[in-house]
Amino acid sequence: MSKFKKTILMLYLTLLGMFCYASGVYGTENERDGRPVSIELTESTGCGGSDRSSSINPIINGHVLFVAFIENLGQVTVEISTAAGAIVGYTSVLTPNGLQIYIPNAGNYIVTFTLSNGDVYAGEFTVTD
């Protein structure tokens, strides 16, 4: 192989590596934009046993609320409402699966999780443009 071809090949591999690195750094910065949403037990039936708020992990990233359930909590009803009380989204999910919900407008919101045993967990978050 000629010296010219080797130089062009090395230049190509170097540029490819630089672009991959730059893409990875950009992707990492976007992933860091997500903010965790603090969840607290708001209503307990007394039947549930222990506090399960650590098993519910919501993260707001832009206009999308991602929710991951760490353990099996049974059927969980998820309601998203504005701070004024207007319901924006309502769904039910079988855990330990997760879900994602798109919230179209900026503002202050409350997410409420109702477990099958009647325990209610809630958290507040803000969607910014």
Side-chain angles (χ1 to χ4, degrees):
M1 195 180 253
S2 72
K3 191 172 189 178
F4 179 73
K5 286 183 182 178
K6 285 182 184 178
T7 305
I8 294 296
L9 205 73
M10 289 302 291
L11 180 63
Y12 174 76
L13 288 174
T14 303
L15 288 175
L16 183 64
M18 287 173 32
F19 287 130
C20 289
Y21 177 75
S23 174
V25 169
Y26 178 74
T28 304
E29 285 300 317
N30 283 342
E31 291 170 4
R32 290 186 201 159
D33 288 344
R35 298 178 313 273
V37 177
S38 175
I39 297 295
E40 297 178 4
L41 179 64
T42 58
E43 183 180 326
S44 176
T45 60
C47 305
S50 63
D51 182 10
R52 301 284 182 108
S53 60
S54 62
S55 300
I56 305 169
N57 292 324
I59 295 175
I60 186 72
N61 189 355
H63 285 265
V64 180
L65 178 69
F66 298 95
V67 182
F69 297 97
I70 304 300
E71 63 180 270
N72 188 357
L73 302 173
Q75 191 78 20
V76 176
T77 303
V78 181
E79 177 183 290
I80 299 175
S81 58
T82 63
I87 296 175
V88 175
Y90 187 86
T91 189
S92 184
V93 65
L94 189 59
T95 60
N97 295 329
L99 69 126
Q100 51 185 317
I101 301 169
Y102 179 76
I103 302 164
N105 300 321
N108 296 321
Y109 293 90
I110 299 170
V111 59
T112 306
F113 302 94
T114 305
L115 278 54
S116 56
N117 66 4
D119 287 351
V120 178
Y121 296 86
E124 298 179 9
F125 64 95
T126 302
V127 174
T128 58
D129 280 331

